[in-house]
């Protein structure tokens, strides 16, 4: 779920097209149809927050994707809490385990969607997902993903980077 606008005039848009573009500097993208209510909020402010979604947020994630913020207050209707961000004016979603504050650097008009290319200003993680070594443990978040019209649980790790070529222990 992407939050945008400001505390007085905020919205949440559910996006299927999002991801990491670059490591250094950290950059992400979201793609939004220009006719969506959130499009102009993001374009005018040059900011947004990517809020990762969980199994417990699945209903709100779907609802925020099918209702227009021009007609309803999605935070109020879905009983989501606006949380002050550190670097952008738009609110984060407190119930999200991870919120990524973003500053738009470029808008690419691709056809049906326009891609907002953004620099990551901050990544905010709920303390309950930080392990004893101070590292973020994504496996505890119960994240979900969207593909082919369905929501799917991301409930377990199935490998790690380089495992396919790792030498077998003797």
């Amino acid at each position: 779920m992407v939050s945008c606008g400001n505390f007085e005039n905020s919205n949440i848009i559910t996006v299927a097209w999002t991801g990491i573009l670059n490591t250094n500097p950290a950059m992400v993208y979201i793609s939004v149809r220009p006719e969506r209510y959130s499009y102009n909020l993001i374009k005018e402010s040059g900011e947004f927050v990517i809020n990762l979604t969980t199994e417990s947020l699945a209903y709100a994630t779907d609802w925020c994707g099918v209702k227009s913020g021009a007609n309803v207050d999605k935070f109020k209707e879905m009983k989501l809490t606006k949380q002050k961000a550190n670097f952008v004016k738009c609110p984060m979603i407190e119930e999200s385990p991870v919120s990524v504050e973003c500053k738009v650097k470029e808008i690419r008009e691709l056809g049906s969607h326009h891609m907002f290319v953004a620099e990551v200003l901050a990544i905010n993680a709920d303390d309950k997902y930080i392990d004893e070594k101070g590292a973020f443990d994504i496996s505890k978040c119960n994240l979900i993903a969207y593909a082919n019209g369905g929501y799917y649980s991301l409930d377990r790790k199935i490998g790690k980077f380089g495992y396919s070529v790792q030498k077998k222990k003797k």
Side-chain angles (χ1 to χ4, degrees):
M1 291 187 285
V2 173
S3 49
C4 54
N6 56 44
F7 261 76
E8 294 75 36
N9 182 29
S10 58
N11 194 42
I12 301 167
I13 182 172
T14 301
V15 299
W17 306 110
T18 184
I20 299 167
L21 287 171
N22 198 52
T23 303
N24 191 12
M27 297 184 78
V28 295
Y29 79 93
I30 61 169
S31 290
V32 179
R33 290 180 183 269
E35 60 269 18
R36 298 292 188 232
Y37 176 72
S38 292
Y39 179 87
N40 284 323
L41 290 175
I42 296 168
K43 186 174 181 181
E44 290 169 11
S45 70
E47 302 174 336
F48 60 88
V49 177
I50 298 171
N51 302 276
L52 298 187
T53 57
T54 64
E55 289 180 25
S56 64
L57 290 172
Y59 184 88
T61 300
D62 185 67
W63 196 90
C64 289
V66 297
K67 298 289 186 175
S68 174
N71 303 320
V72 296
D73 180 339
K74 295 179 186 181
F75 277 97
K76 180 180 175 186
E77 294 298 322
M78 289 292 98
K79 297 176 176 53
L80 296 171
T81 310
K82 293 180 185 182
Q83 184 177 25
K84 186 172 176 10
N86 296 306
F87 298 99
V88 298
K89 291 185 176 83
C90 44
M92 301 185 298
I93 300 171
E94 186 175 313
E95 292 78 6
S96 174
V98 178
S99 297
V100 183
E101 298 179 51
C102 304
K103 178 78 172 165
V104 176
K105 292 297 184 185
E106 175 185 354
I107 302 171
R108 304 272 323 254
E109 297 182 11
L110 302 174
S112 64
H113 289 69
H114 292 183
M115 179 171 61
F116 291 94
V117 175
E119 186 170 356
V120 173
L121 302 179
I123 298 173
N124 305 281
D126 190 316
D127 289 339
K128 69 182 174 185
Y129 302 112
I130 306 299
D131 69 16
E132 62 281 347
K133 295 179 183 175
F136 177 70
D137 186 353
I138 198 167
S139 70
K140 294 180 179 175
C141 296
N142 297 318
L143 295 178
I144 60 171
Y146 177 83
N148 297 324
Y151 297 95
Y152 296 90
S153 174
L154 302 175
D155 64 347
R156 64 186 178 93
K157 180 179 179 180
I158 61 170
K160 66 175 186 170
F161 179 74
Y163 84 101
S164 64
V165 296
Q166 189 173 10
K167 292 184 180 181
K168 305 285 188 239
K169 293 183 180 178
K170 294 180 182 181

